[in-house]
Amino acid sequence: MELGFLGGGSFPLQGRRNIGLKKEKWLGERRNVATMAYDHLRVEPKWQKVWDEEETFKTPDVPKSGKGLEERKKFYALDMFPYPSGTGLHVGHPEGYTATDILSRYKRHQGFDVLHPMGWDAFGLPAEQYAVQTGTHPRETTKKNVDRFRSQLKRLGMSYDWNRELSTTDERYYKWTQWIFLKLFERGLAYQAEVPVNWCPELGTVLANEEVINGKSERGGFPVERRPMRQWMLRITDYAERLLEDLDTLDWPESLKTMQREWIGRSEGTELSFEVKSHSDRSISVYTTRPETICGVSYVCLAPEYDNIMELVTEGQKESVEQYVKEAMMKSDRDRTGEGSTKKTGVWTGSMAINPVNGEEVPLWVADYVLGGYGTGAVMAVPAHDQRDFEFATEFDLPIIEVVTGGDISKSAYDGPGKIVNWNNALSLDLDGMDAAEAKMKLKENFAETGLGKWTVKFKLRDWLFSRQRYWGEPFPIVFVDGEPRALHESELPVVLPDVDTYQPSGTGESPLATIDSWVQVRDKDTGKDAVRETNTMPQWAGSCWYYLRYIDPHNDDVLVDRDFEKYWMPVDLYVGGVEHAVLHLLYARFWHKVLYDCGVVSTKEPFQRLVNQGIILGNVEYTGFKNASGEYVSTKLINEVDETIKRTGEKVFGEQVDAKDLLKKGDSFFLKSNPEVRVQARSHKMSKSRGNVVNPDDVIQEHGADALRCYLMFMGPLEQVKPWTTTGVQGLSRFFQKVWRIFTEEDEDGNAPLNPKISENINPSKEQLAALHGTIKTVTQLTEEMKFNTALASMMEYINTVAKWEGPIDRCLLEPFVVLLSPYAPHLTEELWEKLGNSGSVSKVPWPKHNEEYLAVDEVQYSLLINGKQKLRLSTAVGLDKDAAEAFARSALKINGDEVNGKPIKKVVFVPNKLVNFVA
């Protein structure tokens, strides 16, 4: 009986070491054999111990120079720096880790020097919040969490070089984070400014825009307010052009590069000035990428934080504007820009601005959808051709003037191409009827000649807010002497976090470090004057901006990274992580890398040459049935699932979970067994504790083994796709390993599982056997290289199915290469099989098998012979038959004479070369 891999055909398990008598045909003989299940609970810890003791995956020592270095090949595989949370891993986390591990193992087989490290992005708010609640030092919480993560990753069989493990909280590490900050400070890239920040009194820290949702902190849901505060800023904007241009050199997903381009937001446009009617000495500078639409301006709008805004407000409007500005400054930028919302707010200043092109007066408004940090903090609003302006004008009944044809401005703004209208000879230019793009260039020339406007380049990217008012972060290597910041000398690094009596916010907006006078008050070495330390700490992003460099030379206390080692290992060849880091982490890391390149510390302009985003693993499919107010089930065919109402009547329905055993499947849908007319909702959700759908990898490993989990994560589908978790899928991979085990082993009378005696040497494999092996080698090699792990596994499953059908003894030359092919995917099982085959050393160090094209050349192919689409025979014949020869072969085999088959006339003969002949009657 053949065992299915992912379907039916169960292997009888009676406890962990199932020993039973099973009648089976193996290699052509039916016999009674004693079968023993593959015991992953014994095998996996055994090899994990060996790998640890023998340091099997230690990164090779690399000579600093010489001919030998030029001949070597390197592969640097990197996982995105994990934050060690208290909950540990769930099954979604190891997906990307498994992908890099497979590639790392594969490259070792191919003779590459492989650097495959792991460490911990361990500073962060959660540990400090826990310290505030419990008094437990964040260091203790972090160590406990790291130990758990490490043990989980080791149990998964990850081939990390644990000698290079690092943590951002280690003072030997953050010494160099502080050193990088000094380089930024020396180059004028780090500066202080009073900026409005997202201040959360409850957390006692400043939050990034991404950490604020609907006016509350993402973590904890605490109220957030905007307040000006002295902050360290980094001039990432100085590198905007380079960050943008160098994206073209990277092997990254195009969608991710687009996200970075949009975040950087380069645009070319014109700066113009609108005079304020009641203030002859004041003008409003605006920036526009579409100067050809200026005759469509129906109002000018200022950001609430616009400099000296109250000077532009009339007496009668001051109270309204002051109140509006105060409320707007309490909102985060995300809330103000109204993601997903069209509701616009604003207030008129009472003043009028004068259009510099046609002299018309337009009202001057304040609105929070305009941000002070982008452009000039003011916009010339053209509602007919900008959607945000359209929504504002609609809300406040302001004119909407079409100046470019092509859209229906009664419904929405039109920002596409078209012809200029309503120009009305402004600036004595005849632009009406001209193509908008051509008109734009005409105005560019006119503004340059007249000085009316200045052509310039702008970026949406803003400087990086780099301060946090918290304890658990890297201290700044800065002291203040007479109120001025001074950089510490390199010899004074690291500035070590002191112990504190309390982790509670200081109450003044400063971090808990500000309460430790003995640490804050110091003597300046250069001047001998009294000085005070900077008490802000760096954000969590800091340590993760450069960790990939420290992995190269983690124990060097003299330099950040040895130049020769850096030159050999960089750039990172494969970087794998979630798309949620597509913008900020990657942008910040690229920025720091370019600064280090300018400092001569690194030899490459970019850190990560190839990047892959793994898809999210969703929880098990959840089934929801909907009932009406009478408690009767209603089919989802009749329901609007967005608002959970019946489409026809609008009646509210109520969902309740349905057990899978109470359902039957029809096509891609599920229906109640009790009422097959009622379709239910089947949906997977992102894993979260609140939904109770988190799957712990420890439980899966205990039940099915790490190899089964690793391979299932890869077998679910393409790495980049979003995929739902199913426990039955892991069971299928477990059955596959049981089948492999049974082919290689046979239990002896002592209950052991030695090599199956049918595996022998010096047996001449058949042409078909060699073709199957070398075809598998070729396919798995190509698919592994392309990171198509799911189809590579399918190819190996197909090979094992083929092997199981072979009759008689089998030469080990047909099985040893398979063990190597499977090794990167299922390292524990293959180490055990390699040992049973009588080999010494780790299979991970064995050269990768190469296919031989000669064995893939075939003289014969199998033809399916069909009548009306139903296969009647499957026979071998020569390769390359033309249609007439193939039809003659099929007629002879099926005994078809003349123009009829089964008493019916043959209408046509379908021929697929080297595959089938089908007689249609």
Side-chain angles (χ1 to χ4, degrees), residues 169-321:
T169 61
D170 184 341
E171 62 190 58
R172 292 181 64 196
Y173 180 88
Y174 68 69
K175 166 187 175 179
W176 298 107
T177 307
Q178 294 170 342
W179 183 87
I180 295 172
F181 180 83
L182 292 180
K183 295 301 174 187
L184 292 162
F185 185 74
E186 290 170 9
R187 290 174 168 263
L189 296 170
Y191 66 98
Q192 289 188 297
E194 286 279 331
V195 294
V197 296
N198 302 314
W199 169 252
C200 179
E202 186 72 25
L203 297 179
T205 190
V206 171
L207 301 177
N209 288 335
E210 295 72 32
E211 296 174 298
V212 181
I213 299 175
N214 297 325
K216 294 185 178 180
S217 63
E218 182 179 31
R219 185 171 185 85
F222 303 118
V224 174
E225 61 188 52
R226 300 279 284 178
R227 67 162 66 168
M229 191 176 290
R230 178 184 62 84
Q231 299 290 330
W232 283 101
M233 307 289 292
L234 300 185
R235 294 188 201 277
I236 190 173
T237 50
D238 282 10
Y239 283 73
E241 197 75 62
R242 288 166 63 182
L243 288 167
L244 188 64
E245 289 178 357
D246 289 344
L247 281 171
D248 293 334
T249 68
L250 301 177
D251 181 11
W252 289 14
E254 195 57 40
S255 59
L256 191 149
K257 290 197 281 189
T258 297
M259 291 171 70
Q260 289 222 348
R261 290 187 185 107
E262 291 177 350
W263 190 270
I264 295 168
R266 185 187 189 278
S267 62
E268 295 183 4
T270 302
E271 281 192 5
L272 297 155
S273 292
F274 282 67
E275 292 183 1
V276 182
K277 181 180 179 182
S278 54
H279 297 73
S280 58
D281 59 335
R282 293 293 300 273
S283 63
I284 306 296
S285 177
V286 301
Y287 169 76
T288 177
T289 60
R290 301 195 64 187
E292 72 277 13
T293 65
I294 192 168
C295 287
V297 172
S298 60
Y299 65 97
V300 172
C301 203
L302 304 178
E305 58 268 50
Y306 191 85
D307 286 344
N308 301 315
I309 191 171
M310 295 309 298
E311 294 178 5
L312 302 175
V313 181
T314 62
E315 194 65 35
Q317 289 293 102
K318 279 192 175 181
E319 184 177 346
S320 298
V321 173

Side-chain angles (χ1 to χ4, degrees), residues 52-76:
D52 267 352
E53 292 176 350
E54 298 183 359
E55 296 185 336
T56 303
F57 307 114
K58 184 178 180 181
T59 307
D61 293 327
V62 178
K64 285 200 167 191
S65 60
K67 293 182 179 178
L69 187 61
E70 297 174 0
E71 296 170 357
R72 298 175 74 147
K73 303 178 294 182
K74 68 92 177 179
F75 182 72
Y76 186 176

Side-chain angles (χ1 to χ4, degrees), residues 573-590:
D573 297 287
L574 176 65
Y575 196 22
V576 176
V579 72
E580 65 271 18
H581 301 297
V583 176
L584 296 183
H585 159 62
L586 290 171
L587 202 61
Y588 294 159
R590 293 179 63 223

